[in-house]
């Protein structure tokens, strides 16, 4: 029988591991640009093509009509003061709520219902007439133009 030739051991790999790839600041900047360009493009398209900055207004006539059919009296007019926008109008659970934006894009909410209304944390103006209560809630907007249109006079509420 012939002896099998002895296998020579495999040459050992050198102990040096390949150097890790280093990232340069330029690589990070390119990655950020690749991610941000589509975001900016979508925002630009929304604002220019779809009018993303325009105020969406609503007609409060339906909500005011519902409040009137439910027996609320001395309701606000269905128009906003000059330069203001009506952005929401609801009659639910016995309360009429109309949201306004003034020229400075500050919000004011009118709440009208029977009896006592819940006290908000924001500055508010209250008016009462017989069993009707009206409240204007704002975080700092000047409510004088809106208050002039209301059939019930309002004044600064307690804590406002």
């Amino acid at each position: 029988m012939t002896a099998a030739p002895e296998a020579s051991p495999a040459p050992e790999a050198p102990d040096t591991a390949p150097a890790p790839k280093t990232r340069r600041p330029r690589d990070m900047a390119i990655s950020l640009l690749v991610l941000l360009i589509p975001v900016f493009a979508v925002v630009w398209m929304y604002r220019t093509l779809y009018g993303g900055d325009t105020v969406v207004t609503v007609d409060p006539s339906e909500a005011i009509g519902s409040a009137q059919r439910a027996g609320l009296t001395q309701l606000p007019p269905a128009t906003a003061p000059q330069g203001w926008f009506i952005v929401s109008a609801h009659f639910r659970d016995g309360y009429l709520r109309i949201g306004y934006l003034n020229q400075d894009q500050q919000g004011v909410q009118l709440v009208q219902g029977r009896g006592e209304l819940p006290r908000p944390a924001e500055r508010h103006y209250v008016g009462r007439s017989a069993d009707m209560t009206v409240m204007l809630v704002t975080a700092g907007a000047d409510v004088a133009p809106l208050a002039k249109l209301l059939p019930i006079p309002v004044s600064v509420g307690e804590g406002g």
Side-chain angles (χ1 to χ4, degrees):
M1 256 207 281
T2 59
E6 284 189 32
S8 63
E12 290 195 26
D15 287 339
T16 58
K21 281 185 104 178
T22 57
R23 305 270 185 221
R24 296 178 297 179
R26 179 179 169 267
D27 296 337
M28 181 63 79
I30 291 172
S31 297
L32 283 174
L33 281 175
V34 167
L35 292 172
L36 289 178
I37 287 174
V39 171
F40 286 131
V42 168
V43 169
W44 176 81
M45 287 178 13
Y46 171 72
R47 293 179 75 180
T48 57
L49 300 178
Y50 295 106
D53 289 341
T54 58
V55 176
V56 178
T57 61
V58 298
D59 181 12
S61 301
E62 185 178 324
I64 292 172
S66 296
Q68 191 172 23
R69 286 188 297 277
L72 269 66
T73 58
Q74 298 179 323
L75 295 169
T79 59
Q82 182 69 28
W84 287 47
F85 302 100
I86 298 175
V87 294
S88 67
H90 304 282
F91 178 71
R92 198 175 301 136
D93 300 328
Y95 294 105
L96 174 65
R97 297 178 188 271
I98 301 177
Y100 299 90
L101 279 181
N102 67 7
Q103 302 94 328
D104 301 325
Q105 302 297 310
Q106 294 175 316
V108 176
Q109 184 179 38
L110 176 141
V111 182
Q112 184 169 346
R114 285 203 167 80
E116 199 65 25
L117 297 175
R119 296 281 179 235
E122 298 91 359
R123 183 174 182 139
H124 59 281
Y125 300 80
V126 179
R128 290 185 179 80
S129 176
D131 67 339
M132 296 304 306
T133 303
V134 65
M135 183 185 313
L136 299 176
V137 181
T138 181
D142 177 22
V143 299
L146 180 59
K148 290 177 187 174
L149 293 178
L150 299 177
I152 300 173
V154 295
S155 59
V156 176
E158 304 82 32

